[in-house]
Amino acid sequence: MLRVFLLYLAAFWGGIGAVLLVRPELLAGYAGVSADGAVATAELRAMYGGLELAIAAVTAAACWRPAWQRPVLFMQVVVCAGIGAGRLLGLAVDGAAAAYTFGALAFELTTVVIALVFLRRLGEEC
């Protein structure tokens, strides 16, 4: 089951990362994020494309490298908890309630919970 979860996460992060590396302007349509110049577009490619592809790659690698599973699960907890906390703050402070917001928050919070369950099963103290 752990390998299935890691493959799901790798596919999720990798799919979004690959699309946004090539087409960062798509963020404007579903998240309201747009760039106003070349530097801003490069930043979107880096943070939404490159970073997410890196997360996907290390997550996929952990499927076949058991020694990486705990660190990768911990990374997923930290990354998703941080993004989720920022999103919750955005809901509270900015009123950023949208289908995209709730969908992303659902992914982030469920990833945190499931990753913590797997960490506990692996004997990791969290």
Side-chain angles (χ1 to χ4, degrees):
M1 288 302 293
L2 174 55
R3 196 173 278 174
V4 170
F5 179 60
L6 292 173
L7 285 172
Y8 159 76
L9 291 174
F12 186 88
W13 288 108
I16 293 172
V19 167
L20 295 178
L21 185 67
V22 176
R23 303 269 319 269
E25 70 277 4
L26 294 177
L27 281 166
Y30 69 87
V33 178
S34 60
D36 63 357
V39 173
T41 300
E43 185 65 17
L44 293 179
R45 284 184 204 281
M47 295 305 296
Y48 285 91
L51 179 60
E52 291 188 16
L53 283 171
I55 292 169
V58 75
T59 302
C63 291
W64 292 275
R65 294 184 178 262
W68 291 15
Q69 291 174 349
R70 285 187 186 125
V72 164
L73 287 168
F74 181 74
M75 175 198 67
Q76 292 288 341
V77 169
V78 171
V79 168
C80 288
I83 296 169
R87 205 173 304 282
L88 284 170
L89 182 65
L91 277 167
V93 174
D94 305 316
Y100 169 79
T101 304
F102 293 116
L105 192 56
F107 166 77
E108 293 146 8
L109 296 181
T110 57
T111 297
V112 167
V113 171
I114 294 169
L116 286 171
V117 168
F118 278 117
L119 278 171
R120 189 165 195 63
R121 287 184 184 171
L122 291 173
E124 182 73 22
E125 294 296 321
C126 296

